[in-house]
């Protein structure tokens, strides 16, 4: 009889690494996940290959570094992705999400036997939202991808205006995304019909993405200050319109920083509660111990570090360092306690690891490493450095194709365990940080003249220069495709 292999990938949008006890946070924000970490493998230096959703998921599903290894959205139809490979092996696949950048129009449905785009369902009731949705599907049916590209600016503007109306009206606050309860319930419903066979299930939670709309009962569990409806309305209105490189509102003060972080923590607490229900269901069906469970993020979230809120155009560690928790099948019978690794690993390693968990050979196009080799001490090549990258234009927020008169630029970081160099092509600006002595990346050492620093600078600069020159040479004759998202936001 063929062995049954089950794997669940949980991705949480905007999930910072520092919200769990294993990373030093003792506020009990995610108690269910804290318990899961006790019986899991923890990678303390998991680095996202970008700071926005589209390029980050390109790394997760394609095992390629965005920008460096290709333009990252939509997913290329002619290349193998993680779900396609798994489906091709006859394993049941299901994807559940509520992110507008991970839908059918960007080809994220391909490879899933069942694909639930809850963003579409969640925003289908109003006439205006239905019109936007219909435009997408009309163009998709006709395969007019270029028209989709050029109309995206208009469509995103409509959607953004809808969100603003939602948060500035006197009606009850409502998130533009399906909530954690909806995502988890859909997963449990699907599992109830498919748990007896091999499967790959992907869940993506959007609750920790701005604007923050946690249920009131979860705010009380983690909030450091009381949050009145008036304050919540201000936070929703201001937070959803915040842009980088702009001054904070005149009436902004330190209290709102604390309140904003409380709302963010409450969203994570709400996700955690629903993941607890999912865990209970798996235990009830007696498959929890046999399941591979991966919990991670696409990227982190800035909570006022470097004068940012959200995940704007930057590559600092509040956006790039993410949790990575791997609960292996029958973990307790194999290991005495939690295992923690400090080695540098990255998002492109996720897909090869999942293939190994499902007993599928690594695909030749994947660039990442199978992390089970590190756990088994079996021929794992520790990385000397990791790249993260994105494309941007700070003055052209809404777009997703590089037009002749509007240039887009590479932002790229190269890091070791100790050093990190960030280069912004648009500003021709470098930042160098000593991550061990300055983990908050507050002191730029690039212009400090010391022999050892100069050596590090030149080493990292040469690595970055090589990648940018290679990328630019490959894209001279074609447009740089940007993501189907607001360049500075999602």
């Amino acid at each position: 009889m063929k062995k049954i292999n089950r794997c669940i990938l949980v991705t949480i949008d905007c999930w910072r690494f520092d919200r769990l006890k294993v990373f030093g946070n003792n506020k009990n924000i995610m108690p269910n996940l804290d318990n899961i970490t006790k019986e899991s493998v923890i990678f303390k230096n998991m680095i996202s290959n970008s700071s926005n959703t589209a390029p980050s998921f390109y790394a997760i599903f394609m095992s390629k570094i965005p920008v460096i290894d290709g333009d990252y959205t939509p997913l290329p139809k002619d290349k193998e992705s993680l779900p396609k490979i798994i489906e091709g092996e006859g394993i049941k696949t299901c994807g559940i999400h509520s992110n507008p950048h991970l839908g059918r129009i960007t080809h994220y449905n391909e490879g899933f036997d069942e694909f639930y785009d809850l963003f579409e369902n969640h925003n289908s009731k109003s006439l205006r939202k239905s019109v936007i949705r219909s435009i997408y599907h009309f163009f998709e049916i006709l395969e007019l991808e270029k028209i989709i590209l050029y109309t995206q600016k208009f469509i995103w503007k409509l959607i953004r205006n809808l969100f603003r109306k939602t948060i500035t009206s006197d009606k009850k606050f409502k998130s533009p995304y399906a909530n954690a309860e909806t995502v988890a319930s859909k997963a449990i419903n699907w599992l109830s019909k498919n748990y007896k066979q091999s499967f790959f299930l992907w869940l993506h939670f959007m609750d920790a993405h701005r604007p923050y709309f946690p249920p009131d009962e979860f705010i009380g569990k983690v909030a450091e200050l009381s949050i009145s409806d008036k304050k919540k309305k201000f936070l929703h209105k201001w937070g959803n319109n915040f842009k980088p490189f702009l001054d904070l509102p005149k009436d902004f003060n330190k209290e709102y920083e604390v309140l904003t972080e409380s709302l963010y923590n409450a969203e994570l607490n709400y996700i955690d509660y629903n993941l607890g229900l999912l865990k209970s269901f798996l235990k009830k069906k007696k498959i929890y111990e046999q399941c591979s469970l991966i919990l991670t993020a696409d990227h982190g979230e800035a909570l006022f570090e470097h004068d940012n809120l959200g995940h704007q155009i930057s590559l600092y560690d509040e956006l790039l360092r993410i949790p990575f928790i791997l609960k292996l099948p029958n973990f307790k019978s194999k290991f005495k306690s939690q295992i923690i690794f400090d080695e540098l690993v990255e998002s492109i390693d996720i897909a090869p690891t999942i293939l190994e968990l499902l007993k599928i050979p690594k695909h030749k196009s994947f660039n990442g490493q199978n992390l089970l080799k590190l756990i088994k001490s079996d021929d794992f090549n520790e990385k000397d450095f990791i790249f993260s990258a994105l494309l941007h234009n700070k003055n052209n927020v809404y777009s997703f194709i590089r037009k002749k008169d509007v240039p887009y630029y590479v932002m790229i970081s190269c890091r070791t365990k100790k050093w990190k160099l960030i280069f912004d092509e648009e500003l021709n600006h470098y930042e160098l940080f000593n991550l061990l002595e300055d983990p908050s990346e507050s002191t730029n050492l690039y212009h400090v003249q010391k022999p050892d620093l100069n050596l590090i600078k030149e080493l990292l600069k040469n690595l970055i220069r090589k990648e940018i020159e290679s990328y630019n040479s490959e894209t001279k004759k074609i447009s740089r495709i940007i993501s189907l998202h607001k360049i500075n936001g999602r």
Side-chain angles (χ1 to χ4, degrees):
M1 185 176 178
K2 191 175 180 181
K3 185 179 179 181
I4 295 175
N5 296 300
R6 305 176 178 94
C7 181
I8 300 175
L9 170 63
V10 174
T11 53
I12 299 175
D13 216 291
C14 308
W15 186 19
R16 294 170 60 107
F17 80 96
D18 58 2
R19 303 293 113 163
L20 294 170
K21 288 183 177 179
V22 70
F23 292 101
N25 190 309
N26 293 313
K27 293 183 179 179
N28 208 34
I29 296 168
M30 307 186 81
N32 287 304
L33 293 197
D34 285 332
N35 284 330
I36 290 176
T37 64
K38 295 175 183 177
E39 53 187 14
S40 300
V41 182
I42 312 299
F43 294 86
K44 281 200 164 184
N45 280 305
M46 167 59 79
I47 308 300
S48 175
N49 294 117
S50 192
S51 58
N52 296 164
T53 292
S56 297
F57 264 98
Y58 175 82
I60 293 172
F61 274 22
M62 302 299 296
S63 190
K64 295 180 182 298
I65 300 173
V67 181
I68 292 174
D69 291 332
D71 293 315
Y72 46 76
T73 193
L75 292 184
K77 278 193 169 186
D78 60 341
K79 295 181 180 179
E80 294 290 352
S81 66
L82 175 65
K84 286 183 186 178
I85 294 168
I86 296 172
E87 184 189 41
E89 294 292 321
I91 294 174
K92 190 76 172 176
T93 57
C94 178
I96 305 170
H97 79 96
S98 184
N99 188 307
H101 313 297
L102 304 177
R104 291 171 175 82
I105 202 167
T106 46
H107 309 156
Y108 275 87
N109 61 309
E110 296 193 2
F112 288 107
D113 298 311
E114 296 181 54
F115 187 77
Y116 298 98
D117 188 336
L118 302 182
F119 180 81
E120 288 184 355
N121 297 339
H122 186 68
N123 292 289
S124 63
K125 292 184 180 180
S126 78
L127 176 62
R128 196 173 179 190
K129 292 175 184 177
S130 296
V131 169
I132 294 171
R133 187 176 170 214
S134 298
I135 291 172
Y136 275 138
H137 287 299
F138 174 72
F139 287 150
E140 184 181 18
I141 291 169
L142 296 180
E143 296 184 349
L144 302 178
E145 294 191 0
K146 288 185 179 179
I147 296 179
I148 297 174
L149 291 173
Y150 283 107
T151 56
Q152 183 72 14
K153 177 179 178 180
F154 166 73
I155 292 171
W156 267 116
K157 197 167 185 177
L158 284 180
I159 292 176
R160 188 170 178 84
N161 286 337
L162 282 170
F163 292 175
R164 285 175 177 168
K165 286 187 176 182
T166 300
I167 63 176
T168 56
S169 69
D170 291 330
K171 297 179 181 179
K172 184 176 177 62
F173 300 127
K174 182 176 182 292
S175 172
Y177 312 109
N179 62 25
E181 180 181 355
T182 304
V183 172
S185 296
K186 181 67 74 173
I188 290 171
N189 183 56
W190 184 85
L191 283 167
S192 66
K193 302 170 186 175
N194 295 281
Y195 73 92
K196 292 182 179 180
Q197 60 186 309
S198 293
F199 65 75
F200 170 65
L201 171 62
W202 166 52
L203 310 177
H204 186 68
F205 291 92
M206 286 296 293
D207 306 77
H209 191 294
R210 287 185 304 135
Y212 307 133
F213 292 92
D216 288 345
E217 61 268 32
F218 292 90
I219 297 174
K221 293 181 180 180
V222 296
E224 295 185 19
L225 295 170
S226 62
I227 305 178
S228 66
D229 285 344
K230 182 179 179 180
K231 288 178 180 177
K232 278 194 286 185
K233 191 163 187 176
F234 169 85
L235 290 168
H236 294 322
K237 181 180 178 180
W238 168 77
N240 198 42
N241 286 283
F242 184 91
K243 294 180 181 179
F245 323 114
L246 296 177
D247 292 332
L248 294 175
K250 291 181 180 179
D251 53 351
F252 181 85
N253 58 51
K254 190 69 177 179
E255 178 188 5
Y256 284 110
E257 286 192 25
V258 177
L259 293 173
T260 300
E261 185 168 356
S262 294
L263 289 176
Y264 173 78
N265 289 342
E267 292 283 23
L268 290 176
N269 189 255
Y270 178 50
I271 294 171
D272 179 80
Y273 171 79
N274 284 281
L275 285 174
L277 296 179
L278 176 63
K279 178 182 176 181
S280 295
F281 174 83
L282 296 173
K283 287 200 165 190
K284 180 180 178 182
K285 295 299 181 182
K286 298 181 180 179
I287 61 169
Y288 177 74
E289 293 298 333
Q290 290 74 43
C291 268
S292 299
L293 177 62
I294 294 174
L295 299 125
T296 189
D298 51 352
H299 53 76
E301 182 85 334
L303 294 174
F304 306 102
E305 297 93 346
H306 302 98
D307 296 322
N308 266 330
L309 173 65
H311 41 285
Q312 282 78 29
I313 308 167
S314 68
L315 293 173
Y316 299 117
D317 268 12
E318 58 266 20
L319 302 183
L320 296 185
R321 278 195 69 188
I322 54 175
F324 190 78
I325 302 164
L326 172 57
K327 189 204 77 68
L328 296 169
N330 304 307
F331 181 90
K332 291 180 179 178
S333 64
K334 297 177 181 178
F335 306 100
K336 292 182 179 180
S337 61
Q338 172 190 79
I339 301 174
I340 297 176
F341 287 101
D342 289 321
E343 282 81 355
L344 283 174
V345 295
E346 54 190 320
S347 297
I348 62 171
D349 297 329
I350 295 174
T353 303
I354 289 175
L355 291 185
E356 178 67 21
L357 290 168
L358 292 172
K359 310 303 180 186
I360 301 172
K362 178 184 174 181
H363 195 269
K364 60 184 180 182
S365 69
F366 283 4
N367 293 336
Q369 293 194 81
N370 164 21
L371 296 180
L372 296 187
K373 288 186 175 182
L374 176 59
I375 298 170
K376 298 175 183 177
S377 301
D378 179 22
D379 192 29
F380 182 82
N381 297 317
E382 186 173 354
K383 302 170 194 289
D384 294 322
F385 51 84
I386 285 176
F387 288 108
S388 301
L390 54 84
L391 295 175
H392 74 93
N393 182 315
K394 294 185 176 76
N395 297 314
N396 194 60
V397 175
Y398 293 103
S399 180
F400 64 93
I401 189 166
R402 183 175 185 171
K403 301 168 187 173
K404 293 180 181 178
D405 58 337
V406 180
Y408 291 104
Y409 303 94
V410 176
M411 181 179 285
I412 186 169
S413 70
C414 182
R415 72 186 300 131
T416 66
K417 276 190 177 181
K418 182 175 182 180
W419 298 102
K420 179 176 175 185
L421 184 68
I422 302 173
F423 174 63
D424 185 340
E425 185 185 31
E426 181 176 16
L427 302 178
N428 192 28
H429 176 67
Y430 286 95
E431 292 178 280
L432 177 69
F433 301 105
N434 184 328
L435 298 175
L436 298 183
E437 296 180 4
D438 179 27
S440 61
E441 297 166 294
S442 58
T443 304
N444 182 4
L445 299 174
Y446 183 75
H447 296 292
V448 176
Q449 296 298 320
K450 290 184 178 180
D452 56 339
L453 281 182
N454 292 338
L455 184 65
I456 290 293
K457 277 188 284 190
E458 286 307 308
L459 172 65
L460 297 180
K461 277 177 69 174
N462 287 336
L463 290 169
I464 284 178
R465 190 180 296 117
K466 178 183 175 182
E467 297 299 339
I468 290 182
E469 287 175 355
S470 174
Y471 180 77
N472 285 336
S473 66
E474 291 177 7
T475 55
K476 277 182 180 178
K477 297 180 181 179
I478 60 173
S479 296
R480 281 184 182 173
I481 303 298
I482 310 295
S483 76
L484 291 171
H485 63 76
K486 183 180 60 170
I487 299 304
N488 78 331
R490 305 299 181 201

